[in-house]
Amino acid sequence: MSAVSLRSEPRPLVLSNARIVDPGRKIDAFGTAIVIDGRIAHAGPGPTPALPEGAEIVDCRGRAVLPGLIDMRVFVGEPGAEHRETFASAGQAAAAGGVTTIVTMPDTDPVIDDVALVDFIARRARDTASVNVLPMAALTKGLKGREMTEFGLLKAAGAVGFTDGRHSITNALVLRRALTYARDFGALIMHHPADPDLVGSGVMNEGETATRLGLPGIPREAEIIMLERDIRIAALTGGRYHAAQISCAESLAVIRRAKASGLNVSCGVSATHLALNERDVGPYRTFYRLSPPLRSEDDRRAMVEGVADGSIDVIVSSHDPQDVDTKRHPFAEAADGAVGLETLLAAALRLVHNGEAELAAVVNALSTRPAALLGLEAGRIAPGAPADLILVDLGMPWICTTEALHSRSKNTPFEGSRFEGRVLRTIVAGRTVYSFADA
Amino acid sequence: MTRNLLTDADQPAAVFTHRHLLGIEGLTPPEIVALLDLAEEAVDVSRQVEKKKSVLRGRTQINLFFEASTRTQSSFELAGKRLGADVMNMSVGSSSVKKGETLIDTAMTLNAMNPDILVVRHHAAGAVHLLAQKVGCSVINAGDGAHEHPTQALLDALTIRRHKGGFGELVVAICGDILHSRVARSNILLLNALGARVRCIGPSTLLPKALDRLGVEIFTDMKAGLADADIVMMLRLQRERMDGSFVPSVREYFHFFGLDQEKLGYAKPDALVMHPGPMNRGVEIDSAVADGAQSLIREQVEMGVAVRMAVLEALASHLPDQANFA
């Protein structure tokens, strides 16, 4: 496969002999995808129309073509912490991981709570990042959990949702008013359900492992109680509520009940929580310190089931670049967070390889469902949709090494992990922004 | 041509049989119409050089305002004086309430002074009703919390009737902070009673629960809500509600809910604009609209005096010794 420069003029592209997987149209079949002017002109099995003039023709040899991944929870670092990650480096990491759209969190310095800052991100990302960057704006001014931001004006400026990122809203009235007000604008509210008082000084899942390690624990109830509260407020207000990440079996039960009663709620899980559990913390490895924390194996299995049956809507990377200044500390004093853009797909594909979930369910959670929640045209391989596509060798083995990471920060919990499934080419709006030969 | 309730007992105004005016709730459509008819005459009186009548001569009217007010209080004062009453103003700043006296104690104290009419405004819903149970005189509600402000609704109705002739099939859009507004509640009751179609428009955070049960159509978008509206009634948004607690900012509120020429354009071409005052220019209403050709805001103030004269006159017919006199 030839190297393609980042900003080449998009000429027509033909992906032939491809296994096209489009959960939205329930397609998983061999066929051809044709891309013209940044959009999909044809995709699927059956007779192929005449190929466009001057097209680049790629024989996929039966490999998978999936809709590009849409990652709903990405911390970047720009503005304010460019030494950890910039839009440029996050864009490269995303492209290498098959992520064609990243949704950025407002926990930056300054906090993204103003129209001018949303505008800044949109322009800065357009100029420097190779993938789509969509900002979520702060839910409350300064992430202080007190006063809601200008949902209407921020949405018009391009904010795709509202969240306080790592922060939880402890004041139920603030959340009630925010969900009520957001409803008028059809705005999505994404919340991190973790009661800060119950989390307290906890640094990992409360249980045997924490006790053996002598580390303060975070009870599951910190998540479950707040999630239950949130669901009731969502019911009261009729607003669109999305739990950014859940981590416990019982949280999944709460979500299932809410959905069964017809509420407009959804939730996510990180690929890291699908792949790892609390035992992986091992000898105080700070790259495994996350929020929410890695839970027990039973909880992990429940998360996998949730993805398989669609109760969990989306899989996110929760990509959170941290440098040695925040991670090279004793476990209890280190920061939370792990990078994940480049391991998102491979970690999620483990579910498929283990026979725990269908490929369509995983692709749905990585692309189709997030697109629907965010109101994007992407997330599908259908004529007329933006040509955000990835070519994936689902079975190709590889080992994750920090040297090979494109992210500016190297805090991956998957160092040395063996994966099956590799992105060979990432296409954003018809333009190839990554191909495996480059690496 | 003025009508005297005392002598012309068979006139329409005599259908008003209440001792107090505590709210629009409880008034029948004929009673409301009678008050409006009476107010119409008071407009004529107020436009004469000689504005004095003697219906309330020798009567004492106390304006008891627990909440600051400029236009309502002065309007009641003028109305009382034009009808010949002795009017005393008591506001919270100079009263014993600040020294910890309860509402009931204040009422009993005032009652001992034998007033004939008490005009009361209080920040708590229901406070005026409580007071009315404890005193021997007639009580007029000049606004209690977010409950009712009946004379405002009557003056709004009078203003509308003078311009539109009636209420049948009239589309009235009440816009803004419905949640905290007593003006909205009284207007909804009155306009519904007289057959108008009432809409409420505002962000969901400023719309009370179950508002639809009050017989109004609810909108959260000005464009949709103002379509085909004959009357656009703007409500005041208080500063402390725009700091992120109910709406994010003045900027955002004005952008989506402030009445400017563009939004007014969604209503009927001959739509009229009203506001109970005091206005926040640039928050809920643009100056060009507030002072524009479609604005009735200044006329509302004039109608305010007339309506209060009508209410005082109507209640005067039931003051105790006059009942004996009749």
Side-chain angles (χ1 to χ4, degrees):
Chain A
M1 202 167 294
S2 64
V4 178
S5 76
L6 206 67
R7 293 284 172 185
S8 61
E9 280 304 307
R11 61 173 172 135
L13 178 67
V14 175
L15 301 167
S16 63
N17 279 326
R19 178 185 171 189
I20 294 172
V21 181
D22 179 15
R25 290 195 294 160
K26 295 198 179 355
I27 289 177
D28 184 350
F30 292 95
T32 303
I34 301 173
V35 172
I36 301 172
D37 292 336
R39 290 193 175 260
I40 295 164
H42 166 85
T48 307
L51 301 184
E53 280 293 297
E56 179 194 356
I57 297 171
V58 179
D59 181 355
C60 300
R61 287 179 288 163
R63 289 173 184 137
V65 169
L66 314 177
L69 312 190
I70 298 169
D71 188 343
M72 280 180 68
R73 189 166 162 89
V74 177
F75 297 88
V76 172
E78 186 173 354
E82 286 82 353
H83 65 290
R84 291 183 198 156
E85 196 84 285
T86 60
F87 290 118
S89 65
Q92 287 167 8
V99 178
T100 52
T101 298
I102 60 175
V103 175
T104 58
M105 296 297 101
D107 312 35
T108 48
D109 183 15
V111 169
I112 309 305
D113 61 1
D114 190 85
V115 171
L117 291 162
V118 168
D119 205 46
F120 160 78
I121 291 187
R123 280 183 292 115
R124 181 80 183 142
R126 185 194 60 210
D127 293 347
T128 62
S130 55
V131 302
N132 305 308
V133 175
L134 302 175
M136 274 209 188
L139 181 65
T140 64
K141 292 169 188 168
L143 307 177
K144 289 193 166 70
R146 289 197 290 268
E147 301 158 1
M148 63 178 136
T149 56
E150 296 164 313
F151 297 166
L153 297 174
L154 289 164
K155 189 162 187 266
V160 293
F162 298 88
T163 180
D164 270 4
R166 298 178 181 91
H167 302 263
S168 301
I169 309 287
T170 51
N171 185 326
L173 178 61
V174 170
L175 187 69
R176 178 191 179 171
R177 294 239 176 90
L179 274 165
T180 303
Y181 190 73
R183 195 185 61 199
D184 296 349
F185 298 97
L188 180 69
I189 299 295
M190 183 165 101
H191 192 223
H192 175 56
D195 184 319
D197 296 314
L198 276 174
V199 169
S201 58
V203 295
M204 70 173 294
N205 186 41
E206 190 170 275
E208 181 188 335
T209 310
T211 299
R212 285 184 187 281
L213 290 171
L215 291 171
I218 301 171
R220 291 175 180 81
E221 284 71 13
E223 174 175 302
I224 299 160
I225 290 173
M226 192 157 261
L227 188 64
E228 286 187 320
R229 179 204 73 169
D230 289 0
I231 298 294
R232 286 193 182 268
I233 295 174
L236 173 66
T237 59
R240 291 175 64 206
Y241 173 86
H242 178 80
Q245 271 180 261
I246 61 168
S247 64
C248 326
E250 203 160 330
S251 298
L252 181 60
V254 171
I255 291 286
R256 281 181 174 146
R257 274 201 300 276
K259 288 186 170 184
S261 64
L263 294 178
N264 202 348
V265 302
S266 52
C267 73
V269 66
S270 90
T272 316
H273 287 78
L274 292 173
L276 306 175
N277 67 33
E278 61 183 342
R279 304 286 293 270
D280 290 298
V281 169
Y284 303 98
R285 292 189 291 185
T286 60
F287 291 179
Y288 295 78
R289 187 178 160 170
L290 306 172
S291 174
L294 292 170
R295 301 286 185 185
S296 70
E297 177 60 13
D298 287 346
D299 290 313
R300 187 196 71 81
R301 277 207 211 104
M303 295 301 100
V304 170
E305 276 170 31
V307 170
D309 70 13
S311 314
I312 293 178
D313 298 81
V314 305
I315 304 172
V316 297
S317 70
S318 214
H319 181 82
D320 191 354
Q322 298 289 336
D323 200 6
V324 289
D325 62 330
T326 49
K327 278 295 191 184
R328 197 170 291 165
H329 289 289
F331 193 91
E333 292 163 22
D336 293 320
V339 292
L341 281 168
E342 292 167 80
T343 48
L344 171 63
L345 178 63
L349 281 176
R350 280 188 176 176
L351 272 55
V352 179
H353 295 310
N354 293 344
E356 294 167 321
E358 298 291 325
L359 178 62
V362 170
V363 174
N364 185 52
L366 285 167
S367 181
T368 310
R369 189 74 183 123
L373 289 175
L374 297 166
L376 307 179
E377 285 185 283
R380 60 210 175 98
I381 310 183
D388 293 352
L389 300 168
I390 53 176
L391 174 60
V392 181
D393 184 334
L394 294 170
M396 183 189 280
W398 60 288
I399 297 174
C400 177
T401 60
T402 49
E403 301 80 56
L405 291 181
H406 294 73
S407 181
R408 203 171 267 200
S409 292
K410 310 297 180 188
N411 54 313
T412 175
F414 293 111
E415 162 94 79
S417 293
R418 289 160 195 279
F419 288 119
E420 276 177 79
R422 179 94 221 181
V423 175
L424 300 179
R425 191 193 273 242
T426 301
I427 298 152
V428 176
R431 203 187 296 265
T432 299
V433 297
Y434 170 83
S435 61
F436 183 47
D438 290 351
Chain B
M1 56 129 227
T2 57
R3 201 153 47 204
N4 192 317
L5 287 170
L6 305 181
T7 51
D8 302 345
D10 58 339
Q11 290 294 328
V15 303
F16 193 87
T17 57
H18 305 271
R19 187 159 77 101
H20 307 296
L21 179 69
L22 301 180
I24 298 298
E25 183 157 37
L27 297 188
T28 61
E31 285 171 338
I32 294 168
V33 170
L35 284 173
L36 296 183
D37 291 343
L38 199 52
E40 200 71 62
E41 292 157 17
V43 174
D44 297 335
V45 173
S46 293
R47 285 179 179 176
Q48 292 164 7
V49 178
E50 170 61 56
K51 299 180 175 65
K52 249 345 197 198
K53 289 181 72 181
S54 56
V55 185
L56 293 182
R57 182 187 291 155
R59 298 294 185 182
T60 304
Q61 172 191 336
I62 298 181
N63 294 339
L64 179 58
F65 278 63
F66 293 92
E67 205 179 64
S69 158
T70 309
R71 74 184 63 203
T72 305
Q73 185 170 337
S74 52
S75 179
F76 268 110
E77 183 178 352
L78 258 185
K81 285 178 172 167
R82 283 182 186 168
L83 295 179
D86 294 315
V87 183
M88 187 178 96
N89 286 315
M90 276 195 61
S91 53
V92 71
S94 56
S95 81
S96 52
V97 172
K98 280 232 162 133
K99 298 170 192 164
E101 192 174 69
T102 66
L103 177 63
I104 302 298
D105 287 339
T106 306
M108 297 317 289
T109 305
L110 287 173
N111 198 42
M113 298 176 193
N114 298 317
D116 299 285
I117 295 173
L118 261 182
V119 179
V120 185
R121 168 169 289 187
H122 198 278
H123 52 82
V128 181
H129 290 67
L130 178 64
L131 209 140
Q133 294 164 13
K134 301 291 174 187
V135 297
C137 61
S138 284
V139 174
I140 299 174
N141 183 356
D144 64 323
H147 177 225
E148 280 231 47
H149 189 359
T151 56
Q152 179 70 43
L154 287 165
L155 78 87
D156 288 340
L158 180 63
T159 312
I160 292 171
R161 196 176 73 168
R162 285 169 66 94
H163 284 268
K164 297 290 183 186
F167 299 89
E169 293 310 302
L170 215 55
V171 176
V172 182
I174 305 176
C175 314
D177 185 359
I178 314 286
L179 181 65
H180 300 99
S181 177
R182 51 192 171 220
V183 175
R185 281 169 181 74
S186 287
N187 264 307
I188 290 168
L189 291 167
L190 189 154
L191 292 166
N192 270 333
L194 296 189
R197 284 176 54 198
V198 185
R199 296 176 180 172
C200 288
I201 315 173
S204 292
T205 42
L206 293 175
L207 298 172
K209 276 269 165 184
L211 179 61
D212 55 321
R213 302 296 300 272
L214 273 55
V216 300
E217 287 178 273
I218 298 169
F219 296 85
T220 56
D221 173 68
M222 287 286 268
K223 190 171 184 175
L226 290 182
D228 298 323
D230 297 286
I231 302 288
V232 183
M233 197 180 276
M234 300 307 297
L235 297 175
R236 171 183 169 76
L237 182 64
Q238 292 187 3
R239 291 263 159 196
E240 62 269 25
R241 286 162 194 154
M242 312 177 242
D243 59 359
S245 51
F246 289 91
V247 292
S249 66
V250 170
R251 174 171 71 168
E252 173 142 325
Y253 188 78
F254 186 74
H255 184 86
F256 291 102
F257 296 99
L259 188 69
D260 53 16
Q261 283 296 352
E262 190 195 333
K263 294 197 194 78
L264 184 53
Y266 303 141
K268 277 190 186 161
D270 62 347
L272 296 169
V273 177
M274 303 175 75
H275 192 299
M279 284 182 281
N280 289 307
R281 291 171 186 264
V283 177
E284 70 262 355
I285 192 163
D286 190 56
S287 274
V289 172
D291 306 329
Q294 289 167 271
S295 170
L296 296 177
I297 295 170
R298 237 169 302 170
E299 189 176 329
Q300 284 174 274
V301 180
E302 185 192 356
M303 293 308 120
V305 178
V307 152
R308 279 148 195 151
M309 287 170 73
V311 169
L312 288 167
E313 191 170 344
L315 291 179
S317 62
H318 306 294
L319 291 177
D321 59 327
Q322 285 185 339
N324 298 337
F325 180 81

